[in-house]
């Protein structure tokens, strides 16, 4: 069977793929161990990704590729770089969004309006496997970076374009930020409490677009291993977000009324959401079936007769009479602390969770027990970083864990990359 690496590499380009420069932060164990017959290389070792990226969607996509061993060269504006570098200064002077999405990358500062810098990029693409960009629609085409322009000279190149609304259609040139896409996709109609719209508290539209870009690139690499051909991938934030809205869309099928915003509760399942315990803190719980409902009434509320009360005898009835049931649950929970309430729910095998803030997530016992934390280097020193889902410390110790390289400074790798290309500053 062919290895994943042989499937993903261009038939003519593996030996010519740009390798990490000697002395660069990506001269990693995966190359030395593979060449010495030691540990196996990471899945995307030997794959080179060039990315004209900013903000979150494209950087989040390419960071996933870097985690799997791809070499990611991030092209930034000289001096200022990716504008996400300046969102805040919460991580020792660095931006929280930036350190999250840009580890294990090399930074190449180019002014693509200058002929010399543009030529550097075009020479770099000769050895690249993937080009990712989330510039404004049409901007990459004006720079000669569309798949249509590049495919004749680089038939194996995969070009992934990420934008708010896609590369065509009446909304193509409309500006798109995460909040705006959440709004257009109907997300704000199902969040909040009904008094005013409320967006999801993280960049969910950007994350969705980044992950669909990532999975499509992996698929394109596999397909190229079969036929040797690159392709164009057109990722629309709107389409990614609408895909995630599948439940509420089908819930309103054939003009049925839509789900009512219910805060942290559920529009169609009850009890499901936060309930206050006697110490004033909330416990999150969810009842998914009638067996759980009977157990909840008997073992948690100590009111077994409630299970057959006509007001609450089915999920539809419980949802319809949620205010009355909420009052009963709160009255029962008021006799216990949060920890005692969670213990009762666990004993009854009722799904529940603590309502944690960020400090409690940093200190989460489950993440600690599973050894999920490592460190990455940044321009201001080492910071903690969560291992990517699916990887593990044991794999890391064995030499084939996720690549957890440094967060780069703007233009940090110009000299090394230009030297690889036989060019000078």
């Amino acid at each position: 069977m062919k290895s994943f690496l042989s499937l993903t590499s261009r038939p003519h380009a593996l030996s010519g793929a740009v390798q990490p420069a000697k002395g660069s932060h990506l001269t990693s164990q995966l190359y030395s161990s593979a060449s010495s017959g030691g540990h196996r290389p990471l899945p995307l070792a030997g794959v080179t990704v060039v990315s004209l990226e900013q903000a979150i969607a494209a950087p989040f996509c390419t960071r996933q590729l870097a985690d799997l061993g791809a070499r990611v060269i991030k092209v930034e504006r000289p001096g200022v770089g990716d504008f996400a570098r300046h969102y805040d200064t919460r991580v020792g002077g660095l931006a929280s969004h930036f350190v999250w999405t840009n580890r294990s990358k090399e930074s190449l500062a180019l002014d693509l309006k200058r002929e010399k810098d543009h030529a550097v990029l075009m020479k770099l693409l000769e050895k690249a496997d993937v080009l990712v960009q989330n510039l404004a629609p049409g901007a990459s085409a004006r720079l000669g970076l569309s798949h249509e322009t590049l495919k004749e000279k680089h038939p194996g190149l995969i070009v992934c374009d990420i934008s708010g609304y896609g590369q065509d259609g009446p909304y193509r040139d409309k500006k798109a930020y995460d909040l705006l896409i959440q709004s257009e996709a109907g997300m704000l109609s199902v969040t909040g409490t009904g008094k005013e719209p409320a967006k999801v508290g993280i960049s969910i539209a950007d994350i969705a677009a980044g992950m669909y870009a990532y999975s499509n690139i992996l698929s394109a690499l596999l397909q190229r291993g079969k036929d040797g051909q690159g392709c164009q991938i057109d990722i629309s934030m709107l389409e990614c977000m609408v895909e995630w809205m599948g439940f509420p869309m089908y819930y309103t099928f054939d003009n049925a009324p839509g789900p009512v915003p219910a805060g942290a509760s559920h529009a169609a399942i009850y009890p499901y959401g936060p309930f206050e315990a006697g110490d004033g803190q909330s416990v999150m719980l969810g009842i998914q079936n009638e067996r759980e409902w009977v157990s909840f009434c008997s073992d948690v509320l100590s009111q077994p007769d409630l299970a057959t009360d006509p007001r609450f005898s089915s999920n539809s009835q419980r949802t319809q009479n949620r205010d009355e049931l909420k009052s009963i649950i709160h009255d029962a929970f008021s006799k216990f602390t949060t920890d005692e309430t969670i213990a009762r729910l666990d004993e009854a095998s009722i799904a529940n969770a603590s309502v944690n803030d960020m400090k409690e997530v940093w200190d989460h016992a489950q993440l600690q027990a599973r050894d999920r934390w490592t460190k990455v280097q940044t321009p201001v020193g080492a910071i903690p970083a969560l291992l990517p889902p699916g990887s593990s410390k044991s794999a890391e110790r064995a030499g084939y864990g996720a690549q957890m390289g440094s967060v780069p400074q703007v233009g940090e790798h110009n000299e090394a990359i230009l030297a690889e290309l036989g060019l000078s500053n």
Side-chain angles (χ1 to χ4, degrees), residues 15 19 187 356 368:
S15 62
Q19 302 294 314
M187 175 67 76
N356 289 331
Q368 301 288 346

Side-chain angles (χ1 to χ4, degrees), residues 33 37 46 97 119 144-146 173 175 181 186 195 208 215 219 228 241 267 309 336 359 369 404 409:
S33 62
H97 278 89
L145 300 174
S146 68
D173 297 319
K175 285 190 174 181
I181 296 298
K195 295 179 180 178
S215 60
S219 297
M241 201 72 266
D309 188 311
F336 308 104
K359 183 183 184 306
M404 303 292 288
Q409 293 179 311

Side-chain angles (χ1 to χ4, degrees), residues 8-27:
T8 58
S9 300
R10 289 199 223 171
H12 63 280
L14 177 57
S15 62
V18 181
Q19 302 294 314
K22 185 177 182 180
S24 93
H25 77 292
L26 286 183
T27 304

Side-chain angles (χ1 to χ4, degrees), residues 232-371:
Q232 192 234 355
I233 300 168
D234 180 3
I235 298 292
S236 153
M237 291 170 64
L238 176 66
E239 290 160 17
C240 295
M241 201 72 266
V242 171
E243 164 64 21
W244 284 16
M245 295 297 292
F247 151 64
M249 290 183 69
Y250 281 118
Y251 189 79
T252 62
F253 185 72
D254 201 19
N255 295 316
V260 176
S265 296
H266 197 287
I269 302 173
Y270 203 83
Y272 191 111
F275 295 88
E276 190 174 304
D279 55 9
Q281 299 183 54
S282 290
V283 174
M284 198 72 65
L285 68 88
I287 303 293
Q288 294 278 14
N289 56 59
E290 296 311 306
R291 176 187 57 77
E292 291 180 348
W293 168 241
V294 172
S295 177
F296 179 69
C297 293
S298 175
D299 301 337
V300 179
L301 302 182
S302 299
Q303 299 181 53
D305 292 344
L306 200 64
T308 55
D309 188 311
R311 297 171 298 171
F312 313 126
S313 58
S314 68
N315 178 65
S316 295
Q317 289 299 106
R318 293 191 292 273
T319 300
Q320 182 177 334
N321 297 296
R322 64 172 61 207
D323 289 342
E324 294 173 73
L325 181 52
K326 182 177 182 179
S327 179
I328 292 171
I329 294 172
H330 277 169
D331 183 60
F333 282 12
S334 70
K335 301 176 177 64
F336 308 104
T337 66
T338 301
D339 289 344
E340 290 169 341
T341 303
I342 288 175
R344 291 176 72 88
L345 291 165
D346 284 339
E347 182 67 23
S349 296
I350 301 300
N352 67 86
S354 300
V355 183
N356 289 331
D357 59 22
M358 290 302 95
K359 183 183 184 306
E360 289 163 324
V361 177
W362 276 111
D363 298 333
H364 203 290
Q366 182 70 359
L367 298 176
Q368 301 288 346
R370 283 174 52 80
D371 207 10

